[in-house]
Amino acid sequence: MGASMVERAIGAARLDPAVYEDVEKDPTALGQAMAVVALAALCSGIGAAQGGVGMILLGVVGALVGWFIWAAIIFVVGTMILPEPSTDADLGQVLRCIGFAAAPGILMAAGFIPLLGAIIALVATIWQLAATVVAVRQALDYTSTGRAVGVCVLGFLAYIIATIAVLTPLMVASNAS
């Protein structure tokens, strides 16, 4: 049996590759990964201190959907476009690792503190990016951190294009009515 969610989240935030390996190999950790994503989104909503409970809940749902889409894009880019010979991964492994990479986002709860909150949010965002690179490297069994960075950059570009492709027609339709 693997470590607790809290132990794993702390290890993931410490950028410990062994934690990401543990999560990658434990199919039962998907619920934990989902909880980390939801908690980070909840903390971000609290830190923003605006919009009320409904907007915070919408943010959590949006974060969960975004997590799935982001992991799917990382999976495709990492296994089909930029694989290494050692790459052997499935979508569940990527979902679990990427989910735990959201752990530093829990610090976003401090976002409502004037000035300090913005600094903490910036640090947490950069920290999440670093955690995502470690998660990608471990989930895709890469030996190269540079390749993991490349997958994240290409994946992010694809994510932005997909988001624009989905949101633009929705925005046009809502403005037309």
Side-chain angles (χ1 to χ4, degrees):
M1 182 162 129
S4 74
M5 183 182 86
V6 171
E7 291 168 328
R8 285 175 163 167
I10 290 169
R14 288 183 178 157
L15 309 181
D16 182 351
V19 169
Y20 289 102
E21 282 295 319
D22 178 48
V23 168
E24 175 193 10
K25 289 173 179 39
D26 182 2
T28 66
L30 185 60
Q32 290 182 353
M34 185 182 297
V36 171
V37 171
L39 182 59
L42 180 65
C43 289
S44 181
I46 290 168
Q50 59 187 3
V53 173
M55 288 305 291
I56 290 173
L57 293 177
L58 184 62
V60 169
V61 170
L64 291 170
V65 170
W67 162 58
F68 183 84
I69 293 168
W70 174 238
I73 289 170
I74 290 295
F75 174 73
V76 169
V77 171
T79 62
M80 297 178 191
I81 298 172
L82 289 176
E84 283 189 351
S86 60
T87 299
D88 180 28
D90 61 37
L91 181 57
Q93 292 169 330
V94 177
L95 277 164
R96 293 188 298 273
C97 290
I98 295 292
F100 274 93
I106 293 168
L107 295 176
M108 300 266 197
F112 66 89
I113 302 170
L115 186 60
L116 182 61
I119 293 168
I120 291 171
L122 177 63
V123 168
T125 299
I126 293 168
W127 195 352
Q128 281 181 302
L129 290 172
T132 299
V133 169
V134 175
V136 167
R137 188 184 67 213
Q138 299 313 122
L140 299 175
D141 303 311
Y142 286 171
T143 56
S144 164
T145 300
R147 187 172 299 255
V149 169
V151 168
C152 289
V153 169
L154 284 176
F156 183 70
L157 293 173
Y159 187 85
I160 294 299
I161 291 167
T163 301
I164 291 169
V166 168
L167 292 182
T168 300
L170 294 175
M171 291 171 56
V172 169
S174 71
N175 287 336
S177 48

